[in-house]
Amino acid sequence: MRLGPEEPREGFGELPVCAGMASSADHERDARNREIRSDAARVARELIERHGLPMKVVGVDFLDRSADFDKVVAVYFTAPHRVDFRQLLGDLARTLESRIDLRQVGARDAARLIGGVGSCGREFCCTTFLTDFEPVSLRLAKVQGIPANPLQIAGACGKLMCCLKFEHPLYERFHAEAPPSGRRSLSTGAGARHRPPGSSGLGPGAHRIGRGVELPARVGMFEAQGTHRRGVA
């Protein structure tokens, strides 16, 4: 969908306006720019090694036209500390014949630029839908019943996983709705797999993701081998 300058943009926020379908010339321009970015990344790595700088290139952008300047190459890099790259900047500008923009990024931004698959088997949240990084603490892992071991709950960037933060409100809501551990509960409904409706049990734990509580089944003097998950509406 294309919106003209006179058309309303309610609900679109700061999203850019689509200029229309890409033409064959646009595809050729994109292919050329991809080659330029690849060459720029190679040149940047070679010059960084030549200057002996502790920099790691994680991404390159190339802007081939603008109202203010002709060509710009933006090089994103990580480094353990601030780096004096003034001499490198001049060499890059002369070699690439472009304006150079060197930008140092943190570990999370580097993971977003590189991309990858997390321990959950899905693509990184930061490369798909997250727009801002919020502080994440070990307290969130405790609330979610996850062992507070930084090595087990760290993402590919080495920081605590972002999902601990944006999933936290769901766990808070579950804790507010679920019965506390040890409280006697009554099974309802005929869909229980391990216990008949109407039998009772003490809930030793909870399935937070599945929004259910785990109850050991007791019928009379006998205890069934299994549990029933009572849904929390």
Side-chain angles (χ1 to χ4, degrees), residues 148-215:
N149 185 345
L151 297 179
Q152 295 181 1
I153 56 178
C157 60
K159 307 294 184 180
L160 295 179
M161 293 187 293
C162 295
C163 57
L164 293 174
K165 180 65 176 181
F166 67 76
E167 290 179 353
H168 182 65
L170 300 177
Y171 288 89
E172 286 187 322
R173 179 182 175 185
F174 177 86
H175 281 297
E177 296 175 346
S181 178
R183 176 181 175 183
R184 185 170 294 278
S185 303
L186 183 66
S187 173
T188 60
R193 292 180 298 174
H194 301 296
R195 47 188 276 125
S199 56
S200 62
L202 299 177
H207 293 274
R208 294 173 177 83
I209 297 299
R211 291 178 58 79
V213 295
E214 186 177 88
L215 302 175

Side-chain angles (χ1 to χ4, degrees), residues 116-124 161:
V117 177
S119 58
C120 61
R122 303 178 68 91
E123 192 175 356
F124 291 162
M161 293 187 293

Side-chain angles (χ1 to χ4, degrees), residues 43-61:
V43 170
R45 292 187 178 99
E46 291 177 352
L47 290 177
I48 288 172
E49 184 178 0
R50 184 183 305 172
H51 286 279
L53 297 174
M55 301 166 58
K56 178 182 178 181
V57 177
V58 295
V60 173
D61 278 338

